[in-house]
Amino acid sequence: MQYGLFLKGIGLTLEQALQFWKQEFVRGKMDPDKFDKGYSYNIRHSFGKEGKRTDCTPYSCMKIILTNPPGQGDYHGCPFRHSDPELLRQKLESYRVSPAGMDQILDLVKGTQYQVACQKYFEMTHNVDDCGFSLSHPNQFFFESQWILSGGKDLKKESSQPDTPQAKPGVQKTKDKSSTLASMNSSLEVDVEELEELLQ
């Protein structure tokens, strides 16, 4: 549910979600008819097309951190809240976070500052000194990341102007962040085949 609503929040349509999940379940050796009968209802339900017809929204960080902790064999949750510290260290190392950065993040986790640890991870993996916002939602992480990676914003502070975010070359300085994020959200037509590449 957590992952499905996240994908919905980044712009996956109902049809794309059904196609993506069916492809994943069939790849896992599930019969396509079993998927159609047992799982497609839940996907349609999350889009408000079944049951009470409530359009479900993606989970916030606080909901993920405070409710429904993952059990043995589960894959949901917050990696900073629900991962074993040694597994988290290994994961951070695989994402090329520096040893000093790992220590900072793990200290924040130890102090139960999970969202701050996530924000520090964001800053380190996007090469920014201060992202200038508080992360409170996985979809926010995605859109802020896309904003930076697409060249819409470079938050790396220059030593000569420490308080002023600098635009990447070729990006209009007057470009409004919120309108670009809204545009990205509304125009994000993701083919199922491109989904895995987009999330890497």
Side-chain angles (χ1 to χ4, degrees):
M1 180 66 94
Q2 179 183 330
Y3 184 42
L5 291 175
F6 168 81
L7 294 176
K8 177 186 172 193
I10 66 168
L12 220 61
T13 66
L14 173 59
E15 293 74 25
Q16 290 168 330
L18 287 166
Q19 182 184 359
F20 171 75
W21 286 111
K22 185 172 189 172
Q23 181 179 333
E24 291 301 308
F25 276 82
V26 169
R27 184 183 314 177
K29 308 295 185 221
M30 179 180 285
D31 181 74
D33 288 337
K34 182 177 180 183
F35 171 83
D36 290 336
K37 292 175 184 171
Y39 292 90
S40 63
Y41 174 89
N42 293 334
I43 296 165
R44 290 191 310 273
H45 187 277
S46 70
F47 277 82
K49 304 300 182 190
E50 300 285 353
K52 294 181 181 179
R53 304 208 182 269
T54 303
D55 193 17
C56 301
T57 58
Y59 295 169
S60 69
C61 291
M62 288 309 295
K63 182 170 183 166
I64 294 168
I65 289 168
L66 297 175
T67 62
N68 192 22
Q72 185 75 20
D74 287 342
Y75 296 96
H76 65 279
C78 169
F80 300 97
R81 166 63 180 97
H82 298 112
S83 293
D84 172 77
E86 187 51 40
L87 288 175
L88 180 58
R89 179 179 289 280
Q90 290 172 15
K91 202 54 131 166
L92 292 171
E93 191 174 84
S94 74
Y95 293 140
R96 298 185 181 132
V97 174
S98 70
M102 283 189 278
D103 290 341
Q104 275 187 299
I105 290 170
L106 291 169
D107 285 345
L108 290 166
V109 167
K110 187 176 180 181
T112 69
Q113 296 180 352
Y114 311 115
Q115 287 175 260
V116 179
C118 182
Q119 187 160 322
K120 183 60 67 179
Y121 169 76
F122 182 96
E123 291 169 352
M124 290 177 182
T125 57
H126 290 82
N127 197 29
V128 296
D129 292 331
D130 179 8
C131 60
F133 53 83
S134 295
L135 276 173
S136 61
H137 203 288
N139 291 85
Q140 177 193 13
F141 187 108
F142 175 82
F143 286 116
E144 295 289 353
S145 177
Q146 290 300 297
W147 175 264
I148 290 171
L149 295 175
S150 70
K153 174 173 155 181
D154 182 4
L155 297 173
K156 187 72 178 170
K157 293 182 179 180
E158 305 254 330
S159 58
S160 61
Q161 296 178 345
D163 297 323
T164 308
Q166 301 294 316
K168 286 187 177 179
V171 175
Q172 291 180 340
K173 291 183 180 181
T174 58
K175 200 171 211 179
D176 179 51
K177 175 183 168 187
S178 61
S179 68
T180 301
L181 284 176
S183 171
M184 285 174 61
N185 192 17
S186 65
S187 66
L188 190 59
E189 290 299 321
V190 182
D191 291 330
V192 173
E193 296 81 30
E194 296 173 356
L195 182 60
E196 290 178 2
E197 182 180 322
L198 181 63
L199 294 175
Q200 290 181 359

